[in-house]
Amino acid sequence: MKKLLFYILILFQMTALAQEAKFEAKLSKSSLGLNEKLQVTFSINQDGDNFQAPSFDGFNVVGGPFQSTNFSWVNGVKSFNRSYSFVLQPKQKGTLTIKSATIEYGERSTKPNRLK
């Protein structure tokens, strides 16, 4: 009985310490020339499903999607990250906007901010 209570308390503590899902987008550089390439990476710190990439208007998709998943459990602390990366080349000069991607986790759906 004591073991069962111990496991219930550990499970409750892990649930209370669970992180809120954070979905973000990052660019390898903020400005580039017409013949240069950039990498855009969408990452989430929870196990998400149904990733939907944006349309990448104004860009040629040179590579991707590349997916990586990292999971670790160190000293009772869980760490998780899943990333989706694309290599893009602009089709024209000027300011281009990368629209939001979407991903579902649990019963929620989330989007990162647009990138310029």
Side-chain angles (χ1 to χ4, degrees):
M1 185 67 174
K2 289 182 181 181
K3 283 185 179 181
L4 179 62
L5 182 59
F6 174 75
Y7 289 122
I8 291 172
L9 287 174
I10 293 295
L11 182 62
F12 178 76
Q13 185 178 20
M14 287 179 1
T15 305
L17 295 175
Q19 297 177 347
E20 182 64 31
K22 183 178 178 183
F23 186 41
E24 61 186 6
K26 294 182 182 176
L27 294 175
S28 60
K29 40 181 138 174
S30 58
S31 65
L32 62 151
L34 191 57
N35 294 320
E36 292 183 318
K37 296 173 181 74
L38 81 119
Q39 180 174 326
V40 59
T41 302
F42 301 94
S43 58
I44 187 166
N45 65 346
Q46 298 289 330
D47 191 11
D49 290 320
N50 299 325
F51 173 77
Q52 297 293 318
S55 62
F56 297 119
D57 295 331
F59 292 94
N60 289 320
V61 178
V62 178
F66 305 108
Q67 180 178 338
S68 74
T69 303
N70 298 308
F71 177 81
S72 66
W73 192 276
V74 178
N75 295 329
V77 178
K78 175 188 144 191
S79 173
F80 182 89
N81 186 52
R82 179 168 290 148
S83 299
Y84 303 89
S85 298
F86 298 84
V87 179
L88 307 174
Q89 184 173 19
K91 293 180 182 178
Q92 62 198 33
K93 292 182 180 181
T95 301
L96 300 172
T97 301
I98 297 174
K99 296 179 182 175
S100 295
T102 60
I103 196 163
E104 296 175 2
Y105 64 96
E107 295 181 12
R108 302 178 188 176
S109 179
T110 187
K111 296 180 180 185
N113 292 336
R114 288 185 175 196
L115 298 170
K116 291 185 182 183

